PDB file of all heavy atoms in Angstrom:
ATOM      1  N   ILE B  92      19.133  34.780  -5.456  1.00 60.00           N
ATOM      2  CA  ILE B  92      19.221  33.977  -4.213  1.00 60.00           C
ATOM      3  C   ILE B  92      18.328  34.632  -3.180  1.00 60.00           C
ATOM      4  O   ILE B  92      17.765  33.874  -2.458  1.00 60.00           O
ATOM      5  CB  ILE B  92      20.728  33.861  -3.786  1.00 60.00           C
ATOM      6  CG1 ILE B  92      21.451  33.204  -4.708  1.00 60.00           C
ATOM      7  CG2 ILE B  92      20.867  33.492  -2.308  1.00 60.00           C
ATOM      8  CD1 ILE B  92      23.004  32.985  -4.259  1.00 60.00           C
ATOM      9  N   ALA B  93      18.294  35.944  -3.105  1.00 63.00           N
ATOM     10  CA  ALA B  93      17.503  36.597  -2.068  1.00 63.00           C
ATOM     11  C   ALA B  93      16.003  36.223  -2.232  1.00 63.00           C
ATOM     12  O   ALA B  93      15.289  36.336  -1.220  1.00 63.00           O
ATOM     13  CB  ALA B  93      17.613  38.103  -2.217  1.00 63.00           C
ATOM     14  N   LYS B  94      15.469  35.657  -3.317  1.00 89.00           N
ATOM     15  CA  LYS B  94      14.233  35.403  -3.476  1.00 89.00           C
ATOM     16  C   LYS B  94      13.858  34.090  -2.899  1.00 89.00           C
ATOM     17  O   LYS B  94      12.749  33.504  -3.123  1.00 89.00           O
ATOM     18  CB  LYS B  94      13.770  35.357  -5.071  1.00 89.00           C
ATOM     19  CG  LYS B  94      13.669  36.742  -5.555  1.00 89.00           C
ATOM     20  CD  LYS B  94      13.285  36.861  -6.981  1.00 89.00           C
ATOM     21  CE  LYS B  94      13.261  38.231  -7.487  1.00 89.00           C
ATOM     22  NZ  LYS B  94      13.045  38.277  -8.908  1.00 89.00           N
ATOM     23  N   VAL B  95      14.772  33.489  -2.150  1.00 94.00           N
ATOM     24  CA  VAL B  95      14.449  32.232  -1.467  1.00 94.00           C
ATOM     25  C   VAL B  95      13.990  32.381  -0.034  1.00 94.00           C
ATOM     26  O   VAL B  95      14.611  33.174   0.705  1.00 94.00           O
ATOM     27  CB  VAL B  95      15.681  31.281  -1.512  1.00 94.00           C
ATOM     28  CG1 VAL B  95      15.379  30.011  -0.599  1.00 94.00           C
ATOM     29  CG2 VAL B  95      16.127  30.902  -2.840  1.00 94.00           C
ATOM     30  N   VAL B  96      12.873  31.921   0.373  1.00 95.00           N
ATOM     31  CA  VAL B  96      12.320  32.034   1.669  1.00 95.00           C
ATOM     32  C   VAL B  96      12.264  30.808   2.439  1.00 95.00           C
ATOM     33  O   VAL B  96      11.975  29.797   1.812  1.00 95.00           O
ATOM     34  CB  VAL B  96      10.985  32.794   1.635  1.00 95.00           C
ATOM     35  CG1 VAL B  96      11.149  34.170   0.943  1.00 95.00           C
ATOM     36  CG2 VAL B  96      10.048  31.945   0.913  1.00 95.00           C
ATOM     37  N   PRO B  97      12.352  30.777   3.734  1.00 97.00           N
ATOM     38  CA  PRO B  97      12.306  29.729   4.590  1.00 97.00           C
ATOM     39  C   PRO B  97      10.644  29.313   4.720  1.00 97.00           C
ATOM     40  O   PRO B  97       9.859  30.205   4.784  1.00 97.00           O
ATOM     41  CB  PRO B  97      12.798  30.133   5.883  1.00 97.00           C
ATOM     42  CG  PRO B  97      12.773  31.599   5.981  1.00 97.00           C
ATOM     43  CD  PRO B  97      12.812  32.093   4.513  1.00 97.00           C
ATOM     44  N   ILE B  98      10.480  28.107   4.976  1.00 97.00           N
ATOM     45  CA  ILE B  98       9.056  27.587   5.402  1.00 97.00           C
ATOM     46  C   ILE B  98       9.163  26.856   6.681  1.00 97.00           C
ATOM     47  O   ILE B  98      10.293  26.352   7.065  1.00 97.00           O
ATOM     48  CB  ILE B  98       8.414  26.910   4.257  1.00 97.00           C
ATOM     49  CG1 ILE B  98       9.247  25.570   3.910  1.00 97.00           C
ATOM     50  CG2 ILE B  98       8.253  27.725   2.962  1.00 97.00           C
ATOM     51  CD1 ILE B  98       8.405  24.711   2.944  1.00 97.00           C
ATOM     52  N   GLY B  99       8.110  26.704   7.380  1.00 96.00           N
ATOM     53  CA  GLY B  99       7.948  25.867   8.473  1.00 96.00           C
ATOM     54  C   GLY B  99       8.986  26.529   9.576  1.00 96.00           C
ATOM     55  O   GLY B  99       9.007  27.638   9.923  1.00 96.00           O
ATOM     56  N   ASP B 100       9.768  25.607  10.077  1.00 96.00           N
ATOM     57  CA  ASP B 100      10.780  26.085  11.177  1.00 96.00           C
ATOM     58  C   ASP B 100      11.843  26.721  10.508  1.00 96.00           C
ATOM     59  O   ASP B 100      12.791  27.231  11.355  1.00 96.00           O
ATOM     60  CB  ASP B 100      11.238  24.761  11.939  1.00 96.00           C
ATOM     61  CG  ASP B 100      10.141  24.190  12.740  1.00 96.00           C
ATOM     62  OD1 ASP B 100       9.085  24.984  13.004  1.00 96.00           O
ATOM     63  OD2 ASP B 100      10.264  23.029  13.090  1.00 96.00           O
ATOM     64  N   GLY B 101      11.945  26.902   9.263  1.00 95.00           N
ATOM     65  CA  GLY B 101      13.117  27.560   8.529  1.00 95.00           C
ATOM     66  C   GLY B 101      14.122  26.758   8.030  1.00 95.00           C
ATOM     67  O   GLY B 101      15.224  27.315   7.527  1.00 95.00           O
ATOM     68  N   ASN B 102      14.121  25.413   8.145  1.00 96.00           N
ATOM     69  CA  ASN B 102      15.170  24.623   7.568  1.00 96.00           C
ATOM     70  C   ASN B 102      15.018  24.515   6.038  1.00 96.00           C
ATOM     71  O   ASN B 102      15.939  24.592   5.312  1.00 96.00           O
ATOM     72  CB  ASN B 102      15.015  23.162   8.106  1.00 96.00           C
ATOM     73  CG  ASN B 102      15.018  23.120   9.656  1.00 96.00           C
ATOM     74  OD1 ASN B 102      16.137  23.349  10.247  1.00 96.00           O
ATOM     75  ND2 ASN B 102      13.877  23.029  10.288  1.00 96.00           N
ATOM     76  N   ALA B 103      13.774  24.390   5.660  1.00 97.00           N
ATOM     77  CA  ALA B 103      13.503  24.251   4.225  1.00 97.00           C
ATOM     78  C   ALA B 103      13.443  25.619   3.544  1.00 97.00           C
ATOM     79  O   ALA B 103      12.801  26.589   4.082  1.00 97.00           O
ATOM     80  CB  ALA B 103      12.305  23.520   3.890  1.00 97.00           C
ATOM     81  N   LEU B 104      14.053  25.802   2.415  1.00 96.00           N
ATOM     82  CA  LEU B 104      13.969  27.159   1.680  1.00 96.00           C
ATOM     83  C   LEU B 104      13.411  26.824   0.281  1.00 96.00           C
ATOM     84  O   LEU B 104      13.813  25.923  -0.403  1.00 96.00           O
ATOM     85  CB  LEU B 104      15.356  27.683   1.535  1.00 96.00           C
ATOM     86  CG  LEU B 104      16.266  27.774   2.754  1.00 96.00           C
ATOM     87  CD1 LEU B 104      17.610  28.283   2.466  1.00 96.00           C
ATOM     88  CD2 LEU B 104      15.534  28.809   3.730  1.00 96.00           C
ATOM     89  N   VAL B 105      12.505  27.656   0.040  1.00 96.00           N
ATOM     90  CA  VAL B 105      11.904  27.678  -1.377  1.00 96.00           C
ATOM     91  C   VAL B 105      11.847  28.971  -2.051  1.00 96.00           C
ATOM     92  O   VAL B 105      11.732  30.013  -1.400  1.00 96.00           O
ATOM     93  CB  VAL B 105      10.500  26.927  -1.311  1.00 96.00           C
ATOM     94  CG1 VAL B 105      10.472  25.628  -0.777  1.00 96.00           C
ATOM     95  CG2 VAL B 105       9.615  27.917  -0.441  1.00 96.00           C
ATOM     96  N   PRO B 106      11.785  28.928  -3.344  1.00 96.00           N
ATOM     97  CA  PRO B 106      11.697  30.237  -4.091  1.00 96.00           C
ATOM     98  C   PRO B 106      10.411  31.009  -3.679  1.00 96.00           C
ATOM     99  O   PRO B 106       9.348  30.293  -3.610  1.00 96.00           O
ATOM    100  CB  PRO B 106      11.765  29.773  -5.570  1.00 96.00           C
ATOM    101  CG  PRO B 106      12.338  28.559  -5.658  1.00 96.00           C
ATOM    102  CD  PRO B 106      12.091  27.911  -4.119  1.00 96.00           C
ATOM    103  N   ALA B 107      10.573  32.208  -3.413  1.00 95.00           N
ATOM    104  CA  ALA B 107       9.279  33.015  -3.042  1.00 95.00           C
ATOM    105  C   ALA B 107       8.337  32.914  -4.217  1.00 95.00           C
ATOM    106  O   ALA B 107       7.052  32.779  -3.825  1.00 95.00           O
ATOM    107  CB  ALA B 107       9.747  34.373  -2.843  1.00 95.00           C
TER     108      ALA B 107
END
Side-chain angles (χ1 to χ4, degrees):
Chain B
I92 289 184
K94 287 184 180 169
V95 174
V96 296
I98 61 174
D100 295 336
N102 305 285
L104 305 174
V105 296

